[in-house]
Amino acid sequence: MYLIVAIPAIIIAVFIFRYLLYDVYVSINNPLFGLLFVLISTTALLGLRLYNKYKREQYLASILPNVIIENLTPSELICMETNQLKSIIHGYVNFLVVNKNLKVDTKDNILLINKKNR
C-alpha cells in the first residue's frame, strides 16, 4: 500500500524540486556541491536506517508478544536451554532425593522409594 503511494510521490517530488531549485543547482560550485551532497546523503541515510530499525523493533514487539515463553514451566525452559532431556530427569530425581522421597542404596545400586511421604 505504501509503495503505491510513495513511488509516484517521490517521482513527482524530484521533478518539482528540480524545477524549483534549478537556479540554485547551477550557481553552486562543483566541489562544494559534491561535498555537501555526500554529507547530507550520508546523514539522511544513517538517520533513516536508525529510524527504520527503531520502528521495526517497535512493530515486531507489538505484533509478536512472547506469550509462549511466558507460559512455559521451568522444566520446559530447561529443556529449551539445554536441548537435553537428561537435564530435566536429573532435576526431578534430585528433587526426590532432597525431599527424601527417593533413596539410593549404594551397596546394591538400587533406588528405594519412600512410600510414607507419598
Side-chain angles (χ1 to χ4, degrees):
M1 175 64 185
Y2 293 116
L3 288 177
I4 295 171
V5 175
I7 291 174
I10 289 173
I11 293 171
I12 291 169
V14 166
F15 284 111
I16 289 173
F17 284 121
R18 189 241 178 241
Y19 177 74
L20 293 175
L21 298 174
Y22 182 76
D23 294 333
V24 176
Y25 290 153
V26 173
S27 66
I28 295 176
N29 291 333
N30 192 17
L32 179 62
F33 177 76
L35 179 65
L36 289 177
F37 180 75
V38 169
L39 182 66
I40 290 171
S41 298
T42 305
T43 304
L45 288 174
L46 289 175
L48 286 172
R49 183 173 179 173
L50 290 173
Y51 177 76
N52 284 337
K53 182 179 178 184
Y54 169 74
K55 286 305 242 181
R56 181 181 62 235
E57 289 173 359
Q58 187 180 21
Y59 176 71
L60 288 176
S62 70
I63 66 168
L64 295 174
N66 218 344
V67 176
I68 295 171
I69 291 181
E70 291 175 1
N71 294 328
L72 292 177
T73 64
S75 299
E76 292 168 332
L77 289 171
I78 291 170
C79 185
M80 283 180 61
E81 181 179 334
T82 61
N83 203 18
Q84 295 178 348
L85 189 57
K86 69 179 182 179
S87 300
I88 298 169
I89 294 170
H90 182 271
Y92 280 118
V93 170
N94 185 43
F95 177 76
L96 291 171
V97 170
V98 168
N99 288 333
K100 298 183 180 175
N101 293 332
L102 190 66
K103 183 178 178 185
V104 179
D105 187 4
T106 56
K107 188 182 342 176
D108 298 326
N109 290 331
I110 59 171
L111 294 176
L112 303 173
I113 298 173
N114 186 359
K115 294 184 180 181
K116 294 178 186 175
N117 292 339
R118 275 186 151 185

